[in-house]
Amino acid sequence: MTSIQAHQPLNKNWETVLFETNDQLQLLEESPIVVVEKVIDEMLTRRALFGSLQKEGKQLAKKHGSSFMEDGEG
């Protein structure tokens, strides 16, 4: 995942979560997640959204799987 679409500014709780997540992504040498303005014409269905998240999660796990094993976390 590289971005989050929003039609209004994030509240403080979401900003905190996003900041902490980007810190973890930086440790994994991954690109940060950014917030972009939501375009109404390009909405995903719930199934498409979760399918996309699952695919990207698997790619991330595959890419960093060996380093997790070496650290004893996986």
Side-chain angles (χ1 to χ4, degrees):
M1 177 183 299
T2 57
S3 64
I4 298 173
Q5 291 184 346
H7 59 275
Q8 60 188 11
L10 297 178
N11 67 34
K12 291 293 181 188
N13 291 337
W14 276 109
E15 286 179 6
T16 300
V17 169
L18 187 59
F19 179 79
E20 291 172 358
T21 301
N22 283 339
D23 279 348
Q24 294 297 315
L25 287 171
Q26 183 179 12
L27 292 174
L28 297 171
E29 298 178 0
E30 292 292 328
S31 300
I33 298 171
V34 297
V35 178
V36 295
E37 186 176 333
K38 184 175 182 177
V39 178
I40 295 175
D41 294 340
E42 296 181 17
M43 292 177 53
L44 289 177
T45 64
R46 193 179 323 192
R47 172 181 256 173
L49 172 65
F50 287 112
S52 172
L53 292 174
Q54 181 181 24
K55 179 181 174 185
E56 291 183 25
K58 285 180 181 179
Q59 290 172 345
L60 180 63
K62 189 175 187 179
K63 182 176 179 180
H64 293 288
S66 61
S67 64
F68 291 146
M69 294 292 227
E70 292 168 4
D71 293 340
E73 294 179 15

